[in-house]
mmCIF file of all heavy atoms in Angstrom:
data_model
loop_
_atom_site.group_PDB
_atom_site.id
_atom_site.type_symbol
_atom_site.label_atom_id
_atom_site.label_comp_id
_atom_site.label_asym_id
_atom_site.label_seq_id
_atom_site.Cartn_x
_atom_site.Cartn_y
_atom_site.Cartn_z
ATOM 1 N N ALA A 22 3.550 7.234 11.686
ATOM 2 C CA ALA A 22 3.066 7.251 10.296
ATOM 3 C C ALA A 22 2.269 8.525 10.032
ATOM 4 O O ALA A 22 2.452 9.189 8.999
ATOM 5 C CB ALA A 22 2.211 6.015 10.042
ATOM 6 N N GLY A 23 1.399 8.883 10.966
ATOM 7 C CA GLY A 23 0.597 10.093 10.807
ATOM 8 C C GLY A 23 1.442 11.350 10.740
ATOM 9 O O GLY A 23 1.199 12.228 9.907
ATOM 10 N N ARG A 24 2.439 11.430 11.616
ATOM 11 C CA ARG A 24 3.282 12.632 11.640
ATOM 12 C C ARG A 24 4.034 12.810 10.323
ATOM 13 O O ARG A 24 4.074 13.912 9.766
ATOM 14 C CB ARG A 24 4.256 12.559 12.819
ATOM 15 C CG ARG A 24 5.080 13.831 12.971
ATOM 16 C CD ARG A 24 5.905 13.836 14.243
ATOM 17 N NE ARG A 24 6.879 12.762 14.252
ATOM 18 C CZ ARG A 24 6.934 11.807 15.175
ATOM 19 N NH1 ARG A 24 6.066 11.771 16.155
ATOM 20 N NH2 ARG A 24 7.854 10.875 15.117
ATOM 21 N N TRP A 25 4.633 11.723 9.814
ATOM 22 C CA TRP A 25 5.392 11.831 8.570
ATOM 23 C C TRP A 25 4.488 12.184 7.389
ATOM 24 O O TRP A 25 4.834 13.042 6.574
ATOM 25 C CB TRP A 25 6.170 10.544 8.299
ATOM 26 C CG TRP A 25 7.469 10.527 9.027
ATOM 27 C CD1 TRP A 25 7.742 9.954 10.234
ATOM 28 C CD2 TRP A 25 8.682 11.153 8.597
ATOM 29 N NE1 TRP A 25 9.053 10.178 10.592
ATOM 30 C CE2 TRP A 25 9.654 10.907 9.605
ATOM 31 C CE3 TRP A 25 9.049 11.892 7.478
ATOM 32 C CZ2 TRP A 25 10.957 11.382 9.496
ATOM 33 C CZ3 TRP A 25 10.361 12.350 7.381
ATOM 34 C CH2 TRP A 25 11.286 12.096 8.385
ATOM 35 N N CYS A 26 3.337 11.523 7.290
ATOM 36 C CA CYS A 26 2.418 11.827 6.185
ATOM 37 C C CYS A 26 1.907 13.267 6.276
ATOM 38 O O CYS A 26 1.793 13.971 5.268
ATOM 39 C CB CYS A 26 1.249 10.844 6.182
ATOM 40 S SG CYS A 26 1.700 9.174 5.673
ATOM 41 N N TRP A 27 1.595 13.706 7.501
ATOM 42 C CA TRP A 27 1.084 15.072 7.687
ATOM 43 C C TRP A 27 2.106 16.107 7.246
ATOM 44 O O TRP A 27 1.793 17.004 6.450
ATOM 45 C CB TRP A 27 0.700 15.291 9.148
ATOM 46 C CG TRP A 27 0.466 16.732 9.462
ATOM 47 C CD1 TRP A 27 1.339 17.591 10.058
ATOM 48 C CD2 TRP A 27 -0.700 17.502 9.148
ATOM 49 N NE1 TRP A 27 0.779 18.847 10.148
ATOM 50 C CE2 TRP A 27 -0.472 18.821 9.586
ATOM 51 C CE3 TRP A 27 -1.910 17.204 8.532
ATOM 52 C CZ2 TRP A 27 -1.414 19.828 9.438
ATOM 53 C CZ3 TRP A 27 -2.853 18.216 8.380
ATOM 54 C CH2 TRP A 27 -2.593 19.506 8.837
ATOM 55 N N TRP A 28 3.337 16.020 7.766
ATOM 56 C CA TRP A 28 4.324 17.049 7.461
ATOM 57 C C TRP A 28 4.763 17.030 6.002
ATOM 58 O O TRP A 28 4.929 18.082 5.384
ATOM 59 C CB TRP A 28 5.531 16.934 8.396
ATOM 60 C CG TRP A 28 5.213 17.450 9.757
ATOM 61 C CD1 TRP A 28 5.127 16.736 10.916
ATOM 62 C CD2 TRP A 28 4.893 18.799 10.115
ATOM 63 N NE1 TRP A 28 4.773 17.547 11.962
ATOM 64 C CE2 TRP A 28 4.625 18.823 11.501
ATOM 65 C CE3 TRP A 28 4.794 19.988 9.397
ATOM 66 C CZ2 TRP A 28 4.272 19.991 12.174
ATOM 67 C CZ3 TRP A 28 4.442 21.142 10.072
ATOM 68 C CH2 TRP A 28 4.190 21.143 11.435
ATOM 69 N N LEU A 29 4.940 15.842 5.428
ATOM 70 C CA LEU A 29 5.309 15.770 4.007
ATOM 71 C C LEU A 29 4.166 16.287 3.137
ATOM 72 O O LEU A 29 4.401 16.996 2.151
ATOM 73 C CB LEU A 29 5.674 14.334 3.626
ATOM 74 C CG LEU A 29 6.998 13.811 4.188
ATOM 75 C CD1 LEU A 29 7.185 12.349 3.835
ATOM 76 C CD2 LEU A 29 8.180 14.640 3.676
ATOM 77 N N GLY A 30 2.930 15.954 3.514
ATOM 78 C CA GLY A 30 1.777 16.452 2.763
ATOM 79 C C GLY A 30 1.629 17.956 2.868
ATOM 80 O O GLY A 30 1.350 18.637 1.871
ATOM 81 N N ALA A 31 1.823 18.488 4.077
ATOM 82 C CA ALA A 31 1.722 19.944 4.260
ATOM 83 C C ALA A 31 2.794 20.663 3.455
ATOM 84 O O ALA A 31 2.522 21.699 2.824
ATOM 85 C CB ALA A 31 1.839 20.289 5.750
ATOM 86 N N LEU A 32 4.000 20.112 3.445
ATOM 87 C CA LEU A 32 5.097 20.716 2.671
ATOM 88 C C LEU A 32 4.805 20.658 1.175
ATOM 89 O O LEU A 32 5.017 21.635 0.449
ATOM 90 C CB LEU A 32 6.403 19.980 3.003
ATOM 91 C CG LEU A 32 7.700 20.631 2.571
ATOM 92 C CD1 LEU A 32 7.869 22.000 3.213
ATOM 93 C CD2 LEU A 32 8.869 19.738 2.934
ATOM 94 N N ALA A 33 4.289 19.502 0.712
ATOM 95 C CA ALA A 33 3.947 19.361 -0.711
ATOM 96 C C ALA A 33 2.800 20.301 -1.091
ATOM 97 O O ALA A 33 2.813 20.897 -2.176
ATOM 98 C CB ALA A 33 3.562 17.910 -1.008
ATOM 99 N N ALA A 34 1.811 20.457 -0.205
ATOM 100 C CA ALA A 34 0.698 21.363 -0.491
ATOM 101 C C ALA A 34 1.169 22.805 -0.547
ATOM 102 O O ALA A 34 0.720 23.583 -1.402
ATOM 103 C CB ALA A 34 -0.389 21.197 0.575
ATOM 104 N N LEU A 35 2.081 23.171 0.352
ATOM 105 C CA LEU A 35 2.626 24.532 0.350
ATOM 106 C C LEU A 35 3.386 24.805 -0.940
ATOM 107 O O LEU A 35 3.213 25.860 -1.563
ATOM 108 C CB LEU A 35 3.542 24.717 1.562
ATOM 109 C CG LEU A 35 4.143 26.111 1.727
ATOM 110 C CD1 LEU A 35 3.052 27.134 1.997
ATOM 111 C CD2 LEU A 35 5.155 26.115 2.854
ATOM 112 N N ALA A 36 4.207 23.827 -1.360
ATOM 113 C CA ALA A 36 4.938 23.988 -2.617
ATOM 114 C C ALA A 36 3.968 24.052 -3.789
ATOM 115 O O ALA A 36 4.134 24.864 -4.713
ATOM 116 C CB ALA A 36 5.921 22.827 -2.795
ATOM 117 N N LEU A 99 10.190 3.825 10.413
ATOM 118 C CA LEU A 99 10.551 4.693 9.287
ATOM 119 C C LEU A 99 11.535 4.037 8.320
ATOM 120 O O LEU A 99 11.403 4.204 7.108
ATOM 121 C CB LEU A 99 11.153 5.998 9.829
ATOM 122 C CG LEU A 99 11.621 7.008 8.792
ATOM 123 C CD1 LEU A 99 10.448 7.477 7.939
ATOM 124 C CD2 LEU A 99 12.297 8.186 9.468
ATOM 125 N N ARG A 102 10.319 2.285 5.245
ATOM 126 C CA ARG A 102 9.294 3.047 4.521
ATOM 127 C C ARG A 102 9.792 4.379 3.992
ATOM 128 O O ARG A 102 9.023 5.109 3.364
ATOM 129 C CB ARG A 102 8.086 3.289 5.441
ATOM 130 C CG ARG A 102 7.355 2.009 5.801
ATOM 131 C CD ARG A 102 6.361 2.230 6.910
ATOM 132 N NE ARG A 102 5.625 1.016 7.197
ATOM 133 C CZ ARG A 102 6.049 0.060 8.010
ATOM 134 N NH1 ARG A 102 7.210 0.191 8.635
ATOM 135 N NH2 ARG A 102 5.337 -1.024 8.203
ATOM 136 N N ARG A 103 11.025 4.739 4.229
ATOM 137 C CA ARG A 103 11.492 6.088 3.874
ATOM 138 C C ARG A 103 11.417 6.351 2.376
ATOM 139 O O ARG A 103 11.087 7.463 1.955
ATOM 140 C CB ARG A 103 12.892 6.347 4.424
ATOM 141 C CG ARG A 103 13.982 5.452 3.912
ATOM 142 C CD ARG A 103 15.293 5.689 4.680
ATOM 143 N NE ARG A 103 16.388 4.923 4.160
ATOM 144 C CZ ARG A 103 16.654 3.662 4.501
ATOM 145 N NH1 ARG A 103 15.877 3.038 5.361
ATOM 146 N NH2 ARG A 103 17.678 3.032 3.977
ATOM 147 N N TRP A 105 9.284 4.947 0.240
ATOM 148 C CA TRP A 105 7.873 5.089 -0.113
ATOM 149 C C TRP A 105 7.369 6.486 0.246
ATOM 150 O O TRP A 105 6.596 7.097 -0.507
ATOM 151 C CB TRP A 105 7.026 4.025 0.593
ATOM 152 C CG TRP A 105 7.253 2.654 0.046
ATOM 153 C CD1 TRP A 105 7.898 1.618 0.664
ATOM 154 C CD2 TRP A 105 6.872 2.165 -1.246
ATOM 155 N NE1 TRP A 105 7.932 0.522 -0.158
ATOM 156 C CE2 TRP A 105 7.303 0.827 -1.339
ATOM 157 C CE3 TRP A 105 6.198 2.726 -2.325
ATOM 158 C CZ2 TRP A 105 7.089 0.042 -2.467
ATOM 159 C CZ3 TRP A 105 5.985 1.950 -3.465
ATOM 160 C CH2 TRP A 105 6.422 0.623 -3.515
ATOM 161 N N LEU A 106 7.801 6.974 1.395
ATOM 162 C CA LEU A 106 7.404 8.328 1.798
ATOM 163 C C LEU A 106 7.979 9.378 0.857
ATOM 164 O O LEU A 106 7.296 10.342 0.488
ATOM 165 C CB LEU A 106 7.865 8.601 3.236
ATOM 166 C CG LEU A 106 7.084 7.881 4.330
ATOM 167 C CD1 LEU A 106 7.816 7.988 5.659
ATOM 168 C CD2 LEU A 106 5.676 8.439 4.449
ATOM 169 N N LEU A 107 9.238 9.176 0.455
ATOM 170 C CA LEU A 107 9.857 10.109 -0.490
ATOM 171 C C LEU A 107 9.116 10.088 -1.822
ATOM 172 O O LEU A 107 8.841 11.137 -2.413
ATOM 173 C CB LEU A 107 11.334 9.757 -0.685
ATOM 174 C CG LEU A 107 12.109 10.637 -1.668
ATOM 175 C CD1 LEU A 107 12.132 12.083 -1.192
ATOM 176 C CD2 LEU A 107 13.524 10.115 -1.868
ATOM 177 N N LEU A 108 8.757 8.876 -2.284
ATOM 178 C CA LEU A 108 8.017 8.758 -3.538
ATOM 179 C C LEU A 108 6.648 9.435 -3.429
ATOM 180 O O LEU A 108 6.225 10.155 -4.335
ATOM 181 C CB LEU A 108 7.849 7.275 -3.898
ATOM 182 C CG LEU A 108 7.047 6.981 -5.175
ATOM 183 C CD1 LEU A 108 7.731 7.576 -6.399
ATOM 184 C CD2 LEU A 108 6.840 5.481 -5.344
ATOM 185 N N ALA A 109 5.955 9.238 -2.300
ATOM 186 C CA ALA A 109 4.650 9.881 -2.095
ATOM 187 C C ALA A 109 4.793 11.395 -2.116
ATOM 188 O O ALA A 109 3.950 12.105 -2.690
ATOM 189 C CB ALA A 109 4.047 9.407 -0.775
ATOM 190 N N PHE A 110 5.871 11.911 -1.496
ATOM 191 C CA PHE A 110 6.105 13.355 -1.483
ATOM 192 C C PHE A 110 6.351 13.893 -2.888
ATOM 193 O O PHE A 110 5.768 14.903 -3.292
ATOM 194 C CB PHE A 110 7.291 13.669 -0.564
ATOM 195 C CG PHE A 110 7.695 15.105 -0.581
ATOM 196 C CD1 PHE A 110 6.921 16.072 0.035
ATOM 197 C CD2 PHE A 110 8.863 15.495 -1.230
ATOM 198 C CE1 PHE A 110 7.295 17.412 0.015
ATOM 199 C CE2 PHE A 110 9.246 16.827 -1.256
ATOM 200 C CZ PHE A 110 8.463 17.785 -0.630
ATOM 201 N N VAL A 111 7.192 13.187 -3.647
ATOM 202 C CA VAL A 111 7.512 13.623 -5.016
ATOM 203 C C VAL A 111 6.254 13.604 -5.885
ATOM 204 O O VAL A 111 5.992 14.540 -6.656
ATOM 205 C CB VAL A 111 8.628 12.728 -5.617
ATOM 206 C CG1 VAL A 111 8.785 12.980 -7.106
ATOM 207 C CG2 VAL A 111 9.952 12.980 -4.896
ATOM 208 N N ALA A 113 3.164 13.879 -4.820
ATOM 209 C CA ALA A 113 2.267 14.940 -4.351
ATOM 210 C C ALA A 113 2.683 16.290 -4.907
ATOM 211 O O ALA A 113 1.834 17.084 -5.344
ATOM 212 C CB ALA A 113 2.247 14.968 -2.822
ATOM 213 N N VAL A 114 3.988 16.559 -4.909
ATOM 214 C CA VAL A 114 4.479 17.823 -5.476
ATOM 215 C C VAL A 114 4.261 17.841 -6.981
ATOM 216 O O VAL A 114 3.783 18.837 -7.551
ATOM 217 C CB VAL A 114 5.972 18.039 -5.134
ATOM 218 C CG1 VAL A 114 6.530 19.233 -5.888
ATOM 219 C CG2 VAL A 114 6.157 18.225 -3.637
ATOM 220 N N GLY A 124 -2.513 17.124 -4.312
ATOM 221 C CA GLY A 124 -1.773 15.923 -3.927
ATOM 222 C C GLY A 124 -1.205 16.028 -2.523
ATOM 223 O O GLY A 124 -1.249 15.070 -1.746
ATOM 224 N N GLY A 125 -0.691 17.203 -2.191
ATOM 225 C CA GLY A 125 -0.156 17.407 -0.843
ATOM 226 C C GLY A 125 -1.244 17.329 0.205
ATOM 227 O O GLY A 125 -1.052 16.770 1.291
ATOM 228 N N MET A 126 -2.422 17.878 -0.111
ATOM 229 C CA MET A 126 -3.530 17.828 0.847
ATOM 230 C C MET A 126 -4.048 16.401 1.024
ATOM 231 O O MET A 126 -4.476 16.020 2.116
ATOM 232 C CB MET A 126 -4.637 18.780 0.408
ATOM 233 C CG MET A 126 -4.207 20.242 0.527
ATOM 234 S SD MET A 126 -5.441 21.403 -0.058
ATOM 235 C CE MET A 126 -6.485 21.529 1.374
ATOM 236 N N LEU A 128 -2.123 13.687 0.884
ATOM 237 C CA LEU A 128 -1.143 13.055 1.770
ATOM 238 C C LEU A 128 -1.284 13.560 3.204
ATOM 239 O O LEU A 128 -1.228 12.784 4.159
ATOM 240 C CB LEU A 128 0.273 13.327 1.242
ATOM 241 C CG LEU A 128 1.432 12.632 1.941
ATOM 242 C CD1 LEU A 128 1.259 11.119 1.952
ATOM 243 C CD2 LEU A 128 2.757 13.010 1.272
ATOM 244 N N ALA A 129 -1.527 14.859 3.358
ATOM 245 C CA ALA A 129 -1.740 15.413 4.697
ATOM 246 C C ALA A 129 -3.008 14.845 5.328
ATOM 247 O O ALA A 129 -3.069 14.616 6.544
ATOM 248 C CB ALA A 129 -1.819 16.942 4.631
ATOM 249 N N GLY A 132 -2.249 11.616 6.877
ATOM 250 C CA GLY A 132 -1.586 11.870 8.155
ATOM 251 C C GLY A 132 -2.547 12.265 9.250
ATOM 252 O O GLY A 132 -2.457 11.791 10.383
#
Side-chain angles (χ1 to χ4, degrees):
R24 185 172 63 239
W25 276 96
C26 289
W27 167 261
W28 285 113
L29 289 175
L32 194 60
L35 182 65
L99 178 62
R102 294 168 177 85
R103 62 188 184 275
W105 289 109
L106 287 168
L107 179 62
L108 178 62
F110 174 73
V111 169
V114 172
M126 292 177 83
L128 186 56

